Amino acid sequence: MKEDILSLQDLRSDQILAMLDHASSLKNQFKTQGSNLKYLNGKILGMIFQKPSTRTRISFETAMLQLGGHAINLSFNDLQLSRGESIQDTSKTISLYADILMARVYDHKDIEQLSEYSSIPVINGLSDLFHPCQILADLLTILEYKKKLRGINMAFIGDGNNVCNDLLLGCSKLGINIRVSTPLGFEPPNWVVEVARTSARKNESALLITSDPTEAVVAADVIVTDTHISIGKENEFDSREKIFFPKYQVNDDLVKYAKKDFIFMHCLPAKRGKEVTSQIIDGPHSVIWSEAENRLHVQKALLIKILGDSSVHNRNHS
């Protein structure tokens, strides 16, 4: 059976930890041996992009190249999707040529359809609902700087978006205490929160949803934010600006409530002076560049994990 990763719901806690350990090992190997680790010789990754991309495209393409495989970049306009071909037929076609598919889409239903009709594994490179690859990189970064995950206090400030949703799922699986602060009406979906609460109880961690950023940040080891205006929400710029700014900005006044050795993370791109100030981004607590680099290493671990499944090599395209 093929293995799809559409959100961190698709990975058990032990699988996440094993992947982080492998990513760390791959990172160390790369620094000492370069890109001579050809685990995926001859493998083909198809990449569909409905949205602009910097880190997702470069990290996946570089990962495949360094592992001996090849990545094919397919923008929406490059595909017959732009002329009305169905996702169903597109997915079946790509399955004939590639070993694995990664897609970065607007609507999560599109990635679900790609998964349903694909005979090869599908990875969610970002949708409006989830961003699993980013959160795996975030978890690796926390582990590198804090040397543990269980018992860590995380604060997420801003929009209850795709990053927030997968953080809730990932943190609750690994025993990380997470407090999410969003404006009223911008909370993460209730069903995501309930899934995370159940997981948090099982793993003896705490979960809080609040509209008060200060309450979220008190004694935080990690502070995370994201843009207040995700791709596709640009028409809401003026209304969101009034709701989010300046109350939900990560700045010197807010972070003084966190632990003295807190780290700051952002998936990027950041709108400096909006969700976060340049003083924080460029300050001593920021680990955003390590976080961005770790996208490459977790992508490698993810690809090796999925393509190492024997079912991939014996898939049936009929």
Side-chain angles (χ1 to χ4, degrees):
M1 184 176 179
K2 72 188 181 81
E3 182 176 11
D4 297 331
I5 307 298
L6 306 189
S7 78
L8 290 191
Q9 266 191 294
D10 295 324
L11 293 169
R12 300 187 311 269
S13 57
D14 63 310
Q15 291 177 314
I16 295 173
L17 291 172
M19 198 177 303
L20 297 180
D21 183 65
H22 192 194
S24 180
S25 175
L26 289 166
K27 185 175 182 177
N28 290 333
Q29 284 180 294
F30 177 71
K31 291 184 183 302
T32 57
Q33 301 177 39
S35 56
N36 295 315
L37 306 170
K38 306 303 184 184
Y39 293 103
L40 300 181
N41 265 335
K43 297 301 176 186
I44 304 296
L45 166 69
M47 304 188 298
I48 295 177
F49 290 97
Q50 291 181 351
K51 292 183 173 184
S53 176
T54 299
R55 282 148 290 274
T56 297
R57 177 180 173 183
I58 296 173
S59 60
F60 266 107
E61 196 161 337
T62 302
M64 284 301 288
L65 178 65
Q66 292 182 352
L67 292 172
H70 181 70
I72 302 173
N73 176 45
L74 304 164
S75 73
F76 181 80
N77 289 330
D78 291 331
L79 295 165
Q80 296 291 354
L81 278 170
S82 63
R83 298 179 61 244
E85 184 171 40
S86 68
I87 289 177
Q88 175 179 346
D89 291 350
T90 299
S91 185
K92 288 182 176 181
T93 300
I94 294 173
S95 296
L96 299 172
Y97 310 128
D99 296 283
I100 189 167
L101 173 64
M102 184 279 294
R104 183 176 170 93
V105 301
Y106 284 98
D107 191 335
H108 191 72
K109 292 178 182 177
D110 287 352
I111 199 88
E112 290 178 330
Q113 269 198 288
L114 285 167
S115 169
E116 180 181 356
Y117 294 106
S118 171
S119 61
I120 59 174
V122 175
I123 297 173
N124 181 4
L126 177 143
S127 68
D128 61 338
L129 200 54
F130 293 113
H131 200 353
C133 299
Q134 178 63 53
I135 305 314
L136 290 171
D138 291 355
L139 293 170
L140 178 60
T141 306
I142 295 168
L143 194 56
E144 288 177 341
Y145 281 87
K146 295 300 180 182
K147 309 305 178 187
K148 66 174 186 175
L149 293 173
R150 182 170 294 277
I152 287 292
N153 297 322
M154 175 185 287
F156 178 88
I157 309 298
D159 187 18
N161 61 8
N162 46 14
V163 169
C164 177
N165 292 338
D166 256 330
L167 274 175
L168 282 166
L169 296 176
C171 290
S172 62
K173 285 175 184 279
L174 300 178
I176 297 173
N177 304 311
I178 180 167
R179 296 175 179 174
V180 172
S181 179
T182 70
L184 295 175
F186 292 86
E187 301 90 347
N190 287 334
W191 74 267
V192 173
V193 175
E194 289 311 308
V195 168
R197 283 196 196 283
T198 299
S199 184
R201 284 193 291 269
K202 178 182 176 182
N203 293 292
E204 300 180 335
S205 61
L207 188 159
L208 175 71
I209 308 294
T210 177
S211 60
D212 182 358
T214 301
E215 183 180 17
V217 165
V218 168
D221 297 289
V222 182
I223 298 175
V224 185
T225 192
D226 190 11
T227 178
H228 298 157
I229 305 164
S230 297
I231 299 172
K233 302 288 186 181
E234 290 84 359
N235 63 325
E236 301 176 19
F237 181 89
D238 291 339
S239 60
R240 283 177 173 253
E241 179 91 345
K242 293 174 184 176
I243 294 168
F244 283 90
F245 185 79
K247 182 177 179 180
Y248 294 91
Q249 182 187 73
V250 178
N251 53 37
D252 288 337
D253 289 335
L254 183 62
V255 302
K256 67 184 180 184
Y257 296 99
K259 290 183 180 177
K260 291 183 178 180
D261 62 345
F262 82 92
I263 59 172
F264 170 76
M265 300 201 305
H266 191 307
C267 64
L268 302 175
K271 293 182 175 62
R272 291 170 178 255
K274 297 300 183 182
E275 72 268 14
V276 61
T277 62
S278 289
Q279 289 91 334
I280 296 296
I281 289 179
D282 299 325
H285 298 278
S286 176
V287 297
I288 61 170
W289 304 117
S290 295
E291 181 186 6
E293 179 190 354
N294 282 338
R295 289 293 303 274
L296 172 63
H297 305 296
V298 297
Q299 250 79 288
K300 288 180 182 178
L302 184 60
L303 290 164
I304 292 169
K305 176 187 186 301
I306 296 174
L307 288 175
D309 187 334
S310 60
S311 64
V312 173
H313 307 296
N314 299 312
R315 66 188 186 277
N316 184 357
H317 288 309
S318 63

